[in-house]
Amino acid sequence: MNFIFISPTFPKKYWQWCDALKNNGITVLGIGDTPYEELCMELKSSLTEYYKVGNMEDYDQMYKAVAFFAYKYGKIDWIESNNEYWLEQDARLRTDFNINTGLKTDKIMNIKEKSEMKKFYAAGGIRTARQILGRQGYKAAAKFAEEAGFPLFVKPDIGVGSTDSYKLNNDEELHNFFNTKKYNDYVIEEFVTGDICTYDAIINSKGEPLLESMCVCPPSIADIVNNNLDSVYYVEKDINENLRFWGRQTVKAFDVKSRMVHLEFFRLDRAHKGLGNKGDFVALEVNMRPGGGFTPDMINYAHDIDVYKVWAEMVAYDERKLPDPHNDYYCVFAGRRDNVDYVYSHQDIMTKYAYALKMWERMPQILSAAMGDQTYIARFRTKEEMDEFLYYVCLRK
């Protein structure tokens, strides 16, 4: 089997996807813009061959790279990046080379445009916040505000990481939005409050989950980015059964096959007319790729499992061979800001929680707005221990 992995150098931990593929007997071919000599040793040893392009945004260069591999190695069975940024390009390459193990061009906008996602949620009977398109104009938005009430929430129709997403609290702010933004590119939704919970799963070609997990993100990424908050989220010890149900319903509604997914839901913190009661789940958006940042590693730490291996087994065999270890923890991520004074120092954290810490890293600037500058990942047996850790790490002067 020939697998082309797009951009295997970013994020830097992505060599693990390639390594797992190689360990399952798959020929792994990499395409990226990083010079070969700058690849980490782990990635070099995972790849059968690497093709450097000058600009990954240039489709002609990417097409020629795939064509070269097809000429040299024969039929290409998979093309995948596991990266939101490249999903559309992945689909175009699959279409042009007639590769049927992933989304093609005719379906990619169904999972890229938030407005298109609504249609599939509705068809699957999955509750979502009401929404209108910015291109419907100010009058339609004002009427929508009368029905849904302020605040409203505005966000790009295509986008990730909550960039340029924020509340509109009154008609003046709504009017200002239409005067200052390229509103055709945005959607406007009724404002929903609660934790964001994610259904993370590896799905085989029959639409069946081979692995399921749950992340909880209080506060939202939008609040973190807009308010300079510490970045905090965690993997639950056990998946909520209602979230499992709605996650599987979403997989069916979007006809997900042969992918790892990161599906976002609100868990309502109060009753919301038309959506449900406190604790109910309301769909937010789908991400047809693994959770960002260190989420795959955190799932591994939480459940003593190897997500990379399970995913590679899905690719190679369409089934999971790795047994369930039945050993679960809370795994938590905390990202601190360089421009904030904290009560406890980095060394204090390293000393006090040496027994629990699994990873700690500085974030590159491109990721720091959403994830913080200095990050920590730790795991605990109880939620009380986890909460004490977060209090210690995030306590400000």
Side-chain angles (χ1 to χ4, degrees), residues 91-292:
R92 186 176 175 187
L93 289 168
R94 290 190 202 104
T95 301
D96 288 347
F97 286 89
N98 195 29
I99 297 166
N100 298 314
T101 48
L103 292 165
K104 292 187 176 181
T105 304
D106 61 337
K107 300 218 179 136
I108 193 65
M109 285 303 128
N110 298 344
I111 57 94
K112 289 284 288 183
E113 293 182 350
K114 298 176 179 68
S115 54
E116 282 297 306
M117 294 177 194
K118 293 287 185 181
K119 301 173 184 177
F120 291 88
Y121 284 131
I126 301 158
R127 293 167 294 191
T128 63
R130 288 174 290 175
Q131 178 192 92
I132 66 164
L133 302 172
R135 62 176 174 265
Q136 292 178 245
Y138 170 74
K139 288 184 179 179
K143 182 177 180 182
F144 178 73
E146 289 180 7
E147 298 169 356
F150 285 106
L152 300 174
F153 196 74
V154 61
K155 55 189 176 181
D157 198 9
I158 298 177
V160 65
S162 294
T163 301
D164 211 16
S165 302
Y166 49 88
K167 284 195 293 184
L168 300 174
N169 294 295
N170 50 52
D171 186 67
E172 181 181 352
E173 292 183 5
L174 180 64
H175 197 273
N176 185 58
F177 164 74
F178 278 93
N179 285 335
T180 60
K181 292 290 184 180
K182 295 180 180 178
Y183 53 82
N184 285 347
D185 298 333
Y186 289 78
V187 295
I188 303 168
E189 291 188 344
E190 62 181 320
F191 189 70
V192 178
T193 59
D195 292 336
I196 293 177
C197 301
T198 69
Y199 173 81
D200 296 271
I202 296 173
I203 309 297
N204 68 11
S205 69
K206 305 177 188 68
E208 302 164 341
L210 303 181
L211 178 149
E212 297 172 295
S213 186
M214 174 183 181
C215 289
V216 180
C217 313
S220 73
I221 297 296
D223 287 338
I224 290 168
V225 172
N226 293 333
N227 300 319
N228 196 41
L229 302 177
D230 299 319
S231 181
V232 172
Y233 74 101
Y234 61 92
V235 177
E236 276 277 9
K237 190 173 185 177
D238 302 298
I239 187 169
N240 179 288
E241 288 303 318
N242 286 332
L243 180 69
R244 189 197 305 273
F245 173 81
W246 288 113
R248 291 183 178 185
Q249 286 294 104
T250 304
V251 165
K252 291 178 184 176
F254 283 83
D255 194 28
V256 178
K257 304 287 176 62
S258 304
R259 305 194 65 74
M260 186 169 186
V261 297
H262 181 71
L263 311 180
E264 298 181 9
F265 295 82
F266 284 112
R267 181 165 55 190
L268 297 178
D269 60 6
R270 67 194 75 175
H272 193 110
K273 185 178 179 181
L275 292 180
N277 298 315
K278 181 179 180 180
D280 286 343
F281 290 95
V282 175
L284 175 55
E285 62 183 69
V286 299
N287 297 287
M288 296 299 177
R289 42 78 181 170

